[in-house]
Amino acid sequence: MAAAGTSVSAARGPGAPAGTEARVRRPTPARPSRLPPLLVLLAAAAGPGAGGAARLYRAGEDAVWVLDSGSVRGATANSSAAWLVQFYSSWCGHCIGYAPTWRALAGDVRDWAAAIRVAALDCAEEKNHEVCRAYEIHFYPTFRYFKAFAKDFTTGEDFKGPDREPQTVRHAMIDFLQSHADEGRPPGCPSLNPIRPRDVLSLIDSSGGRYVAVLFESNSSYVGREVILDLIPYENIEVKRALGWDKAFLQKLGVSSVPSCYLIYPNGSHGLVTVGKPLRSFFSSYLKSLPDVRKKSLSLPEKASKEDNSEAVVWREFDRSKLYAADLESGLHHLLRVELAAHRSLAGAELKTLKDFVTVLAKLFPGRPPVRKLLETLQEWLASLPLDRIPYDAVLDLVNNKMRISGIFLTNHIKWVGCQGSRPELRGYTCSLWKLFHTLTVRAGTHPKALDGTGFEDDPQAVLQAIRRYIHIFFGCKECSEHFEEMAKESMDSVKTPDQAILWLWKKHNVVNSRLAGHPSEDPKFPKVPWPTPDLCPACHEEIKGLTSWNEGQVLLFLKRHYGSDNLEDKYSSDLGDAGEGAPATGAERAGGHASPGQPPADQGAKSLRPLGVLPPRPRLSERSHQALDVKLGSLSGAEGRRGAGAGAAFLGTGFSSLDMSLCVVLYVASSLFLMLMYFFFRVRSKRWKVKHHHPSV
């Protein structure tokens, strides 16, 4: 994880069917939220919509194929080329740091596109989270290979290599291409298998009117195969490779060392090529520069239209000394609706971790009452579950208020304020997580009775351990979660009081700041420096014998003030009365889209929000809501159930949701069982009455 203090940048870490090209789609840019007159900056960010994949990769500028939920399946299913796709998250610091390497790799193998293509898909883009879940992406970055001409849906093959440096990945790409059966090999990919010495002699004897280059190399060398792929888009030349094990044959051709290039000219002459160094780049460059060797037209990622190259970025002026509810609520939205979506179902340690984390949130989250009520409702439902496995969609339905419970709310839009970055991919979600975690530790320290009755009372590490387990299991950046886990193993056990828990998280926050200072994920407008800075807390800083030092007593007071409820600012928070923003998200909205102007919201549940003054202090799930959620657990246990429910709704009409229909079925079955029970009850009573009043005849 990375730092996210108000004065520091959020740390970035705790193809198409055969014969066609994959279409790189560009989502519609997000509509700006309705705000008071603010400074609007037009950022030239070529990429799919606000927060799209082009935050890190720009179609038309980079050689990376930028995919999204609308193009990834078309690209990788029955494609005439193989694909190597990086599933990443634009807020993941490791992904940001690796982006230059991935761009360099894509540029390096640009000429291999007819055989294999390098692509990227941003799982942080909300419209992509369903497809990332379908591909079972749990951590970022995840690299998957997809073979050419795959007929059925596949999640691909994981990249397995000692590292992710360009040369290692290039070699793995070649191995993957060679794993194709001959009939399944991409038609644009020449044979990468070595030819025999007699085949070389045959090529020398039969001049074909074009250049033929034979790369002699050792069995473990990749130079020949790389040069073959480098020359794919070039005409009037063919490249082969041969193994240099026959010393007598090599001596006959004048080849004294490997790798070496033997060139057969169009006129039939032949001889050894002399290059400066026996490297791939030298061989490829020499062959490409031969007379009459020309480059053919090549499929490349389509360039973004000029219209899409600009997206409106609203800059919200904010006070660095304030904590903004909009940041916390936007973070909860991403956590509950996007990050958890990587898991189709929750069981075992995952379910236990979610229950514990939601319990801590429900008891300690300091936000607005409708948001707190949503968390309390979710916590109550999770605590009442007798099941050891639940589908994630059941959680999502409650978060989206499909049961239309009065008075609960969570924005379905991202609106960063104190967590804004100078570029869309900087700060944002990780910043909001740090703010959330600090807030939870502070609330636990200032409200010691808040966790009573949860099983966490009298445990000063309870909040830290819940955060630790959440990061370990659910946080998408694997490298970041591993770093956090290392810090936790080192010293979390030393925490003996709630105040020590507050200071432990603060210290580790600054450790991450120090580690990531100068990292590509660092926002130049919000540098990663020790926090709080002297201008925010002069008393926190002091000098001892000329060396800067922290006054931890003052730091503790500052943290309690800064992350306390009294410092929480509702400015820029989503309007509770705005049905378009407060209503449960439709499929398109969960995917990051927005309703068109004049289009009615798909769900009017938010209109049932009661005024804040009449919200009950301890909400209880209604019996109907419990039944609806229980039905959801059964009806969403598999994809077939979801498809069946959808078909039923279409058959009956558009007025009923699958949840409504399932509830009717449950009520019908319950009524039938009740009537049968009453029938047998009165039947037994009738028999007993006859026996009691029966008088035998004399």
Side-chain angles (χ1 to χ4, degrees):
M1 289 185 58
T6 51
S7 67
V8 268
S9 157
R12 316 314 283 182
T20 63
E21 301 302 333
R23 182 167 177 253
V24 182
R25 300 186 181 181
R26 308 180 60 79
T28 304
R31 286 189 298 118
S33 301
R34 291 176 295 196
L35 296 169
L38 296 170
L39 176 63
V40 178
L41 305 175
L42 293 179
R55 285 175 169 181
L56 300 187
Y57 306 103
R58 294 173 172 80
E61 296 180 28
D62 302 324
V64 178
W65 294 71
V66 179
L67 303 177
D68 60 21
S69 60
S71 61
V72 61
R73 294 198 183 187
T76 58
N78 200 29
S79 169
S80 60
W83 289 80
L84 172 57
V85 181
Q86 178 194 174
F87 294 86
Y88 74 99
S89 176
S90 53
W91 51 255
C92 168
H94 183 57
C95 301
I96 294 172
Y98 187 69
T101 303
W102 195 246
R103 284 194 291 268
L105 170 69
D108 185 53
V109 300
R110 182 191 297 262
D111 289 337
W112 301 13
I116 188 167
R117 297 168 181 177
V118 175
L121 186 146
D122 185 5
C123 290
E125 176 72 25
E126 289 184 45
K127 69 170 293 180
N128 295 334
H129 85 258
E130 289 289 350
V131 75
C132 289
R133 182 157 62 120
Y135 282 95
E136 300 177 2
I137 307 301
H138 295 163
F139 302 104
Y140 312 114
T142 293
F143 301 85
R144 297 278 176 82
Y145 290 109
F146 296 87
K147 287 188 175 182
F149 304 115
K151 301 297 182 184
D152 300 321
F153 173 76
T154 173
T155 59
E157 300 178 22
D158 284 317
F159 164 71
K160 297 181 178 67
D163 58 60
R164 293 169 182 165
E165 293 305 310
Q167 178 173 286
T168 305
V169 180
R170 276 203 319 269
H171 293 174
M173 292 169 69
I174 290 171
D175 292 339
F176 179 71
L177 282 172
Q178 291 194 278
S179 72
H180 285 69
D182 287 341
E183 63 274 10
R185 192 177 75 227
C189 180
S191 174
L192 301 176
N193 296 323
I195 61 174
R196 296 165 296 184
R198 66 184 182 190
D199 296 326
V200 177
L201 294 175
S202 176
L203 290 170
I204 293 174
D205 293 339
S206 59
S207 174
R210 67 182 187 279
Y211 295 95
V212 179
V214 181
L215 269 294
F216 289 95
E217 61 183 346
S218 65
N219 188 45
S220 60
S221 171
Y222 283 85
V223 171
R225 286 169 284 184
E226 289 177 323
V227 175
I228 290 173
L229 294 169
D230 286 343
L231 272 293
I232 284 178
Y234 287 82
E235 296 177 318
N236 297 325
I237 188 168
E238 183 179 5
V239 184
K240 303 286 186 180
R241 62 183 286 254
L243 301 182
W245 53 268
D246 191 334
K247 303 299 182 183
F249 180 72
L250 293 180
Q251 191 173 16
K252 180 180 178 181
L253 295 179
V255 177
S256 58
S257 63
V258 293
S260 291
C261 179
Y262 197 84
L263 185 62
I264 305 169
Y265 294 84
N267 61 7
S269 61
H270 50 87
L272 194 64
V273 168
T274 302
V275 295
K277 295 180 181 180
L279 302 174
R280 166 207 173 196
S281 58
F282 283 76
F283 290 128
S284 294
S285 178
Y286 179 88
L287 297 176
K288 290 175 182 179
S289 64
L290 291 169
D292 297 324
V293 172
R294 298 182 300 271
K295 193 170 188 177
K296 300 175 288 189
S297 60
L298 180 68
S299 264
L300 292 175
E302 73 178 43
K303 187 171 179 62
S305 66
K306 185 175 181 181
E307 178 182 345
D308 287 338
N309 280 350
S310 298
E311 62 181 56
V313 177
V314 177
W315 182 260
R316 302 176 180 91
E317 294 297 335
F318 67 95
D319 183 347
R320 293 189 306 120
S321 67
K322 290 291 185 180
L323 180 66
Y324 288 86
D327 291 323
L328 298 181
E329 292 178 10
S330 295
L332 280 179
H333 154 70
H334 190 94
L335 186 155
L336 293 171
R337 292 196 178 106
V338 180
E339 192 159 66
L340 287 178
H343 301 258
R344 289 178 177 271
S345 62
L346 302 164
E350 292 179 351
L351 183 56
K352 176 69 163 59
T353 297
L354 178 63
K355 287 181 176 181
D356 290 348
F357 189 68
V358 169
T359 297
V360 170
L361 284 174
K363 302 301 181 182
L364 299 175
F365 188 78
R368 298 181 291 173
V371 181
R372 295 204 312 269
K373 182 178 179 182
L374 172 66
L375 294 172
E376 291 167 357
T377 303
L378 178 60
Q379 184 270 331
E380 178 192 345
W381 175 66
L382 287 171
S384 68
L385 284 177
L387 307 178
D388 57 3
R389 177 180 294 274
I390 63 170
Y392 159 75
D393 283 344
V395 177
L396 184 63
D397 274 0
L398 196 153
V399 174
N400 287 339
N401 198 13
K402 288 293 184 66
M403 285 62 65
R404 294 173 174 80
I405 302 170
S406 177
I408 70 174
F409 172 86
L410 180 62
T411 181
N412 54 28
H413 296 277
I414 294 294
K415 189 184 293 184
W416 306 125
V417 183
C419 284
Q420 293 173 101
S422 59
R423 297 200 308 271
E425 72 272 18
L426 300 179
R427 307 185 79 219
Y429 178 54
T430 47
C431 166
S432 70
L433 272 189
W434 275 111
K435 290 181 183 292
L436 177 62
F437 295 162
H438 281 299
T439 300
L440 295 177
T441 57
V442 166
R443 292 276 293 182
T446 57
H447 296 72
K449 301 297 183 182
L451 294 176
D452 284 358
T454 64
F456 297 142
E457 57 268 21
D458 302 323
D459 181 1
Q461 296 180 24
V463 175
L464 290 180
Q465 293 291 354
I467 291 170
R468 174 185 182 179
R469 292 193 297 272
Y470 179 86
I471 292 173
H472 180 69
I473 291 179
F474 292 111
F475 192 64
C477 178
K478 187 66 173 177
E479 184 177 274
C480 310
S481 67
E482 289 173 351
H483 283 143
F484 193 89
E485 181 63 20
E486 289 172 5
M487 295 190 298
K489 286 180 178 178
E490 284 177 3
S491 57
M492 190 175 283
D493 286 344
S494 65
V495 172
K496 304 301 181 184
T497 67
D499 285 351
Q500 289 178 3
I502 297 171
L503 289 173
W504 185 92
L505 189 65
W506 162 74
K507 290 176 182 178
K508 299 311 173 186
H509 186 156
N510 274 332
V511 167
V512 175
N513 271 344
S514 177
R515 178 171 60 84
L516 294 178
H519 189 271
S521 64
E522 181 181 43
D523 193 324
K525 189 170 182 177
F526 300 90
K528 291 174 170 48
V529 296
W531 186 86
T533 52
D535 61 313
L536 280 177
C537 182
C540 296
H541 298 260
E542 56 187 26
E543 283 193 9
I544 299 178
K545 296 182 180 180
L547 297 176
T548 58
S549 180
W550 293 102
N551 184 326
E552 292 192 2
Q554 291 297 322
V555 170
L556 182 61
L557 292 175
F558 169 81
L559 293 173
K560 289 183 176 181
R561 287 195 305 268
H562 187 79
Y563 292 106
S565 302
D566 293 340
N567 198 42
L568 190 61
E569 176 64 64
D570 285 344
K571 186 179 181 182
Y572 301 122
S573 296
S574 300
D575 186 357
L576 296 176
D578 185 352
E581 189 165 22
T586 64
E589 288 170 333
R590 286 200 305 269
H594 297 266
S596 302
Q599 178 182 350
D603 195 329
Q604 300 295 332
K607 289 186 177 180
S608 65
L609 289 173
R610 289 179 284 180
L612 299 185
V614 296
L615 285 172
R618 300 285 299 173
R620 301 287 300 174
L621 267 174
S622 68
E623 187 64 29
R624 180 181 183 276
S625 299
H626 264 302
Q627 289 176 344
L629 287 167
D630 291 341
V631 168
K632 186 66 174 178
L633 294 178
S635 64
L636 289 179
S637 59
E640 293 298 327
R642 286 194 293 273
R643 284 195 291 268
F651 177 79
L652 291 175
T654 59
F656 297 95
S657 68
S658 60
L659 193 59
D660 295 329
M661 293 168 56
S662 301
L663 183 59
C664 290
V665 171
V666 168
L667 292 175
Y668 174 78
V669 172
S671 300
S672 300
L673 291 174
F674 177 75
L675 291 174
M676 291 176 64
L677 182 62
M678 295 301 295
Y679 169 76
F680 285 113
F681 173 75
F682 284 109
R683 180 83 178 266
V684 171
R685 287 288 300 271
S686 176
K687 287 183 177 180
R688 287 181 178 176
W689 185 85
K690 288 180 179 180
V691 170
K692 182 178 180 180
H693 296 280
H694 176 66
H695 300 285
S697 56
V698 178

